[in-house]
Every structure is written in structure tokens, then in C-alpha cells.
Amino acid sequence: SFKSGNLEKWFYREKIFLLNSSLSVVKGKPGSMMNIWEDFTNEAIKFISEQNSNCIFLLLGNFAKVKESFITDKERIIKGVHPSPMSAHHGFFNSGIFKLEVNGL
């Protein structure tokens, strides 16, 4: 379990990189600083897409799905509903998006 909220071990041990469309926000105003981060997140996704052919992109929510245009190999994309409390009940819950399927099991 994560007691501190620090997800570094996901990155270092599991090789999972989490990237939000916006990396900061004015308290109580979702998306308020998205335009500040747009170029950075777009370039980060392009770089990862071009440099790492073993990468899978999990795009959750409409803001993330727009980033599909920066991913060269569309077969490496999985899309789903954002897991936020406001939208998770619209398809994230029970979607099975984090279940690993091996050999059809």
C-alpha cells in the first residue's frame, strides 16, 4: 500500500510512467492551467512514442484521448474512462482495464 502517495517505485521497479494532461491546477478549478502544460505533455508523449517501441499508452478520459495524435503506433493505445470520482461510474468501474489477460485466461 502507498502510505505517502509517492509512486516512485511504480516508475523504477514496474517501469510505469504516469503523466497527466495538466501538472498543476488552481485549487477548485479543474483544467485551469492545462494550457501552460500542453506543449510539455505533447512533447513528452511524442518523445516516448518515438524512443520506446515497448511502451503501451493507457489514455483515460477525454483530455488524454486527445493525445492519441502524438503516438505513432496506434496499436499501442488502450483507451478508457477517466477514474475520477465524477466520471468513474460512467464506465471505469467494472471495466477490467487493469486486469492482465494471459493466454486467454
Side-chain angles (χ1 to χ4, degrees):
S1 75
F2 296 102
K3 294 178 182 174
S4 70
N6 185 333
L7 302 176
E8 283 182 348
K9 70 178 172 181
W10 277 16
F11 180 77
Y12 290 111
R13 186 171 31 182
E14 305 296 333
K15 307 300 183 216
I16 295 171
F17 176 63
L18 301 173
L19 179 65
N20 211 337
S21 295
S22 181
L23 306 179
S24 61
V25 64
V26 174
K27 187 176 181 179
K29 296 182 180 181
S32 57
M33 300 183 115
M34 194 165 307
N35 62 329
I36 293 170
W37 294 105
E38 187 172 23
D39 289 341
F40 175 81
T41 58
N42 292 349
E43 291 301 318
I45 292 167
K46 279 192 246 181
F47 178 81
I48 293 167
S49 175
E50 293 167 359
Q51 300 299 317
N52 188 336
S53 62
N54 294 321
C55 180
I56 301 228
F57 294 86
L58 178 60
L59 306 178
L60 299 178
N62 292 331
F63 291 128
K65 290 174 187 173
V66 170
K67 305 294 184 181
E68 179 178 359
S69 63
F70 301 107
I71 301 167
T72 53
D73 184 355
K74 306 301 184 205
E75 293 194 12
R76 296 189 295 149
I77 298 173
I78 299 169
K79 295 186 258 183
V81 175
H82 193 280
S84 77
M86 297 179 68
S87 62
H89 62 281
H90 292 294
F92 180 78
F93 292 137
N94 299 317
S95 69
I97 200 157
F98 292 113
K99 289 182 181 178
L100 177 63
E101 189 170 310
V102 179
N103 297 328
L105 301 175

